[in-house]
Amino acid sequence: MKKIKKFKNLEELKKAIDQQEASRKREKKKIIVVSSGTCGQARGSLKVIDALKKAIREEGLKDQVAIRITGCHGFCEAEPNIIIYPDRIFYQKLTPPDVRTIVKETLVEGRVVEKFLHRDPLTRERAWYENEIPFYQKQKRIVLGDNVFVDPTSLLEYLAIGGFRPFIKAVTKMKPDEIIQTVKQSGLRGRGGAGFPTGVKWEATRRAAGNPKYIICNGDEGDPGAYMDRSVLEGNPYRVLEGMMIGALAIGAREGYLYVRDEYPLAVRHVTMAIDHLYQAGLLGDNILGTDFSFDLHIAKGAGAFVCGEETALIASIEGRVGEPRQRPPFPAQKGLWRKPTCINNVETWANVPLIILNGADWFSSIGTSGSKGTKIFSLVGKINNTGLVEVPMGITLREIIYDIGGGIPDGKAFKAVQTGGPSGGCLPASMLDQIIDYESLTAAGSIMGSGGMIVMDEKTCMVDVAKYFLNFLRDESCGKCISCREGTQRMWEIVSAITEGQGKPGDLELLEELALATKEASMCGLGQTAANPVLSTLRYFRDEYEAHIYEKRCPAGVCKSLIRYAVIPEKCTGCEACKRACPTGAIQGTRKDVHLILYDKCIKCGACLEACRFEAIEAQRDEAITIVKEVKP
Amino acid sequence: MSVHPTINLDSLQEIVERHGYNKNKLIAILQDIQAVYHYLPAEALKTLSRLLKIPLIDIISVATFYRAFSLTPKGRHVATVCMGTACHVRGAPKILEEFERQLNIRRGETTEDGEWSLETVACLGCCAIGPVVVVDGDYHAHTSIRKVPTILGKYRK
């Protein structure tokens, strides 16, 4: 690791920021930004970087072109991608040989290579520049936007975008109460799910009796389908740490913990590195830069327990115990870590803090709706064309996110539902697409904001299966402390599983609703209180699908194995034998150029043929056998 | 046949020392032990109980509460199938079934020859490129039923 210069006082830090900012402005080199977060690396960004370095060396461009390796920019669908500055030419889905072509054509000869440009899935138009891509146009990327400009392993790069100016402002010009007032006035609310006003939490912790006080960053992003915190920690860890430092200053905390999931190895690595750098630079430790502010920061790694996202369970986990939530009050602001006043905020919340301090409360509160200010990052995933992280102003509609930014549903399929808020949230149907997004309206619609997962489902997604999926997750992750949650989620899972297997009976749905209510009312923590949301919201909007499973023994989406069988559509089958080769049990008969046939006694319904067929000639049909059984035994 | 290192009490002592014999660091200590052995050997936990002066039952309760810990040895290769929501709607359950068929074990199990363990994870946070499978730390994006034998083949000699 490169040795980092220690700043002796605030003046030196300020000078360094000025210098870094100025040198970036003077920079004449072209800069190639390579997006290389976990998704990018999984798609081969590291090989692209090697190829890029080699090609630049071979073309003798080393003095004219620099490479910046950054975290994720959010457009995961287009990974691995590069942006060439200053023009912002955006090339996507690259392989090492592509990079050679780009270096030759664009860098040496100054031509744009059309075939690597982004093409809009709806209009089929190519976008030359990053800012022309529809995916980015309706976004407001105040938190994520800087990921493009920062190498997350370099403190100097963070300084070059004005990093630590907010901290300097807070430590020199603002009293703790002023910082808290600013955060309160900004209207910032917790980005982890519940949406509690951040400034109010800070004030309560500051006023609470007891010393020392602690602050915690909750990076236990456990909602399946959500990964914005991972991206922020991977792509701009210094901003989160700076937010925590400002929070510590305001609350009067001397020590803080950053709790991060062990499932995020790159985030752990970048945060660990960033903390080391801050210690080396004199920005953490005793009497930071000659002020009387001292602050130490530790990392606590999670060990794979969803319930630890709940603040009291998370505290138990940091203390080295089993992560079981406890009764509140007392709230962590009164009695938290080691029974001392503790302020816990989510990663995205902390990342917003420096921006609010620098630009003021009015700037922040000018974005959003009356009750929900600022932006929110969502992970737009599932059956959607432009998958990735989107940061949008509060108040945008679901339709704008899914169609304008997300580019709609792939393969011409119809939109069915969008699931928000993870296992505590719900599924919203097409009739809710014009719903605006803020804390209140999502709750009113039967879902929640949650940490920001947004999973899009199309006509081929079975909503009963989705409810079963979440119940299975929850019964697995329930810590078991409250019987209503432990047994409630288990029992609901059993009922919904039976429905998907064709064993549903009249009265099941009413029983589910009763259990859902009991689980909600009688459980202590957020996990249990919201565990019924996936069931209740699917029952509310997709009751007909449940009924089709129960009364007609039919899965309309063709997902539930016990209720379907795969069949070949003779008109579409070309006899290419692709399905026959893919079948693991030899259940497909047929010779080349002849219509194939599936032998039902051998078929295990694995779906390999459906996946292998390029002509959509395999179809999940209603299993007639079950219908016959039903007719014989009503 | 054993593919696991024998328990080295010195290295255990070293880990505990690194954490200052601090009981509050139990989870971090268990993570470090697991990083060495790829599971938590009973002998190591007994020694740990003595070193930290915590009843063994309390250590076991933490070790069994958190999903990341395993009390049974792992195979030489570990395949982890992501079961997150985004992967689920894109067919993760079918991918898992194919791994189960190919390896002839169920999720959570290890093959008899000690070569493969099959795991699932609630979400890896790579939702945009799902279904995702991680083998020995390498991420495989956009997996399909047909890709499973190819993925396994890369790690089989």
Side-chain angles (χ1 to χ4, degrees):
Chain A
M1 200 187 295
K2 210 165 61 189
K3 184 85 184 134
I4 288 185
K5 186 180 157 261
K6 188 172 175 125
F7 301 113
K8 284 196 202 70
N9 50 45
L10 287 166
E11 276 309 305
E12 273 194 14
L13 175 63
K14 222 186 270 173
K15 216 158 58 190
I17 299 171
D18 291 342
Q19 268 172 9
Q20 290 301 323
E21 280 185 334
S23 79
R24 182 164 281 192
K25 281 204 189 94
R26 274 200 313 273
E27 184 66 68
K28 288 282 181 292
K29 277 185 181 178
K30 276 194 160 74
I31 294 173
I32 302 180
V33 177
V34 190
S35 162
S36 191
T38 302
C39 299
Q41 293 187 4
R43 298 291 293 277
S45 65
L46 296 177
K47 283 184 189 141
V48 165
I49 292 165
D50 286 344
L52 203 52
K53 284 182 180 160
K54 191 163 166 245
I56 287 172
R57 209 170 43 235
E58 283 174 4
E59 295 292 339
L61 294 170
K62 263 191 106 176
D63 299 327
Q64 293 131 56
V65 182
I67 300 174
R68 181 188 300 138
I69 301 163
T70 69
C72 169
H73 305 168
F75 201 4
C76 309
E77 185 62 31
E79 301 279 7
N81 61 56
I82 62 170
I83 310 170
I84 304 177
Y85 278 79
D87 303 325
R88 295 172 80 178
I89 301 167
F90 181 87
Y91 290 132
Q92 65 166 19
K93 299 184 183 174
L94 301 175
T95 60
D98 299 343
V99 170
R100 284 207 61 81
T101 316
I102 289 169
V103 169
K104 263 208 157 65
E105 301 226 354
T106 306
L107 294 183
V108 179
E109 291 164 25
R111 272 201 316 267
V112 168
V113 193
E114 285 235 355
K115 63 176 172 180
F116 303 132
L117 294 172
H118 174 73
R119 182 185 252 178
D120 187 80
L122 296 178
T123 62
R124 312 298 294 160
E125 267 175 46
R126 301 252 186 214
W128 278 40
Y129 307 110
E130 185 207 8
N131 47 339
E132 286 180 349
I133 299 170
F135 177 78
Y136 288 117
Q137 278 174 350
K138 279 207 172 174
Q139 295 195 44
K140 188 162 180 63
R141 297 159 60 83
I142 62 174
V143 175
L144 269 186
D146 282 339
N147 279 15
V148 177
F149 302 108
V150 185
D151 173 349
T153 62
S154 161
L155 176 60
L156 291 180
E157 291 235 325
Y158 183 61
L159 298 184
I161 60 160
F164 284 99
R165 279 200 197 285
F167 171 72
I168 293 175
K169 182 176 174 186
V171 80
T172 55
K173 297 208 179 98
M174 296 171 90
K175 293 199 178 70
D177 283 331
E178 264 177 80
I179 301 175
I180 291 175
Q181 277 312 313
T182 307
V183 174
K184 262 171 106 173
Q185 277 164 14
S186 74
L188 176 65
R189 294 170 63 176
R191 297 296 192 242
F196 192 81
T198 306
V200 176
K201 207 185 240 186
W202 288 20
E203 193 167 46
T205 317
R206 178 164 183 85
R207 300 262 157 86
N211 260 313
K213 295 181 163 77
Y214 295 99
I215 62 169
I216 295 175
C217 172
N218 183 347
D220 191 50
E221 183 174 52
D223 282 6
Y227 60 104
M228 55 290 305
D229 293 348
R230 168 176 74 70
S231 254
V232 173
L233 289 174
E234 274 177 18
N236 201 350
Y238 297 103
R239 162 125 336 130
V240 179
L241 303 183
E242 188 183 2
M244 292 181 77
M245 288 166 67
I246 294 168
L249 199 60
I251 289 157
R254 208 207 164 285
E255 218 174 326
Y257 284 84
L258 200 152
Y259 190 92
V260 52
R261 291 182 85 201
D262 204 23
E263 289 90 335
Y264 290 173
L266 192 64
V268 172
R269 199 155 74 227
H270 284 181
V271 171
T272 310
M273 209 184 266
I275 290 178
D276 284 348
H277 290 174
L278 292 189
Y279 272 108
Q280 288 169 30
L283 280 159
L284 282 175
D286 291 336
N287 298 95
I288 292 167
L289 303 181
T291 63
D292 49 16
F293 172 58
S294 302
F295 186 54
D296 282 303
L297 202 45
H298 316 282
I299 288 181
K301 280 195 293 176
F306 175 69
V307 70
C308 287
E310 199 279 341
E311 53 185 17
T312 60
L314 186 143
I315 287 172
S317 180
I318 292 182
E319 292 173 351
R321 296 183 285 121
V322 163
E324 275 182 4
R326 62 155 177 78
Q327 193 67 260
R328 297 178 306 177
F331 288 94
Q334 279 95 39
K335 284 194 163 55
L337 190 61
W338 290 299
R339 306 199 56 77
K340 299 293 180 192
T342 303
C343 177
I344 302 192
N345 285 126
N346 156 273
V347 171
E348 196 184 333
T349 316
W350 287 119
N352 269 294
V353 168
L355 300 168
I356 292 170
I357 296 302
L358 188 72
N359 301 312
D362 292 343
W363 165 79
F364 190 79
S365 63
S366 70
I367 310 166
T369 63
S370 64
S372 306
K373 302 298 185 188
T375 62
K376 177 78 192 86
I377 310 176
F378 290 99
S379 61
L380 188 59
V381 293
K383 306 283 187 68
I384 184 96
N385 273 315
N386 298 332
T387 55
L389 290 179
V390 303
E391 184 178 352
V392 288
M394 298 275 192
I396 196 170
T397 64
L398 279 169
R399 187 183 300 280
E400 285 174 281
I401 293 187
I402 291 166
Y403 287 94
D404 299 346
I405 298 174
I409 317 298
D411 308 326
K413 298 240 165 45
F415 168 88
K416 186 186 242 175
V418 56
Q419 205 279 343
T420 72
S424 306
C427 297
L428 304 176
S431 61
M432 306 293 278
L433 274 174
D434 292 308
Q435 178 77 44
I436 64 153
I437 292 172
D438 66 6
Y439 291 100
E440 282 71 26
S441 51
L442 281 175
T443 308
S447 186
I448 60 161
M449 176 83 77
S451 61
M454 202 172 260
I455 297 109
V456 181
M457 299 165 183
D458 68 4
E459 55 191 293
K460 294 284 173 201
T461 313
C462 171
M463 301 315 288
V464 186
D465 177 69
V466 167
K468 179 171 81 171
Y469 165 81
F470 280 113
L471 286 169
N472 185 40
F473 177 86
L474 287 159
R475 81 181 173 112
D476 224 21
E477 294 292 344
S478 170
C479 77
K481 188 165 177 165
C482 307
I483 188 169
S484 52
C485 172
R486 185 180 71 229
E487 300 300 330
T489 52
Q490 171 70 22
R491 196 60 200 105
M492 286 192 282
W493 174 76
E494 286 168 9
I495 296 168
V496 174
S497 293
I499 294 175
T500 61
E501 284 157 14
Q503 313 287 322
K505 32 183 206 304
D508 274 357
L509 300 186
E510 292 71 22
L511 181 57
L512 268 179
E513 280 164 332
E514 199 185 323
L515 280 166
L517 188 71
T519 308
K520 197 175 185 140
E521 300 273 300
S523 302
M524 194 183 67
C525 85
L527 190 149
Q529 286 161 5
T530 58
N533 279 352
V535 173
L536 288 175
S537 67
T538 45
L539 273 173
R540 176 169 163 190
Y541 297 116
F542 302 97
R543 204 178 182 95
D544 55 331
E545 259 187 75
Y546 281 88
E547 287 169 350
H549 283 75
I550 296 174
Y551 299 108
E552 299 166 32
K553 308 296 170 198
R554 181 170 67 87
C555 175
V559 171
C560 297
K561 254 187 170 183
S562 314
L563 302 180
I564 56 153
R565 65 177 183 188
Y566 290 109
V568 177
I569 307 171
E571 297 77 38
K572 288 189 178 171
C573 179
T574 62
C576 69
E577 296 192 312
C579 59
K580 195 175 162 184
R581 281 193 298 275
C583 180
T585 57
I588 298 181
Q589 275 192 341
T591 47
R592 200 157 178 80
K593 296 201 173 163
D594 271 335
V595 172
H596 296 347
L597 181 75
I598 299 177
L599 301 175
Y600 297 117
D601 51 342
K602 281 192 178 172
C603 176
I604 54 167
K605 298 178 190 174
C606 69
C609 54
L610 185 75
E611 184 194 288
C613 181
R614 285 175 292 127
F615 306 99
E616 295 189 352
I618 310 260
E619 194 181 46
Q621 292 180 343
R622 179 180 180 182
D623 198 329
E624 298 299 326
I626 292 174
T627 324
I628 295 164
V629 171
K630 193 189 153 223
E631 278 160 9
V632 176
K633 253 172 43 181
Chain B
M1 184 259 11
S2 170
V3 288
H4 307 285
T6 45
I7 312 303
N8 177 345
L9 293 182
D10 288 344
S11 77
L12 187 63
Q13 180 110 20
E14 216 173 274
I15 290 170
V16 179
E17 251 165 48
R18 197 161 60 231
H19 292 282
Y21 289 86
N22 189 342
K23 289 176 192 177
N24 299 326
K25 295 284 168 68
L26 178 60
I27 294 173
I29 292 170
L30 292 178
Q31 280 167 336
D32 287 356
I33 295 175
Q34 181 147 306
V36 177
Y37 301 107
H38 306 292
Y39 81 111
L40 299 175
E43 203 187 322
L45 296 188
K46 281 180 204 158
T47 316
L48 186 64
S49 156
R50 204 161 32 74
L51 290 173
L52 286 179
K53 301 190 174 64
I54 315 180
L56 184 60
I57 185 87
D58 289 350
I59 295 180
I60 298 288
S61 104
V62 168
T64 52
F65 181 84
Y66 293 97
R67 187 177 299 274
F69 298 126
S70 171
L71 296 178
T72 49
K74 287 270 134 72
R76 219 159 61 84
H77 302 292
V78 180
T80 308
V81 183
C82 179
M83 302 306 279
T85 323
C87 290
H88 179 87
V89 301
R90 286 186 178 182
K94 289 176 177 173
I95 311 282
L96 176 65
E97 283 169 18
E98 182 64 17
F99 270 99
E100 290 180 334
R101 272 194 298 275
Q102 292 278 337
L103 296 173
N104 203 17
I105 47 172
R106 305 271 297 160
R107 67 160 102 174
E109 293 178 353
T110 301
T111 53
E112 259 177 38
D113 60 4
E115 280 292 301
W116 285 91
S117 289
L118 182 59
E119 305 280 314
T120 57
V121 63
C123 180
L124 288 164
C126 304
C127 313
I129 55 172
V132 177
V133 175
V134 176
V135 182
D136 300 348
D138 306 332
Y139 287 69
H140 297 271
H142 294 308
T143 52
S144 60
I145 300 171
R146 272 178 304 166
K147 283 186 190 167
V148 172
T150 326
I151 293 171
L152 288 172
K154 275 191 188 171
Y155 301 86
R156 280 178 170 149
K157 272 190 218 111

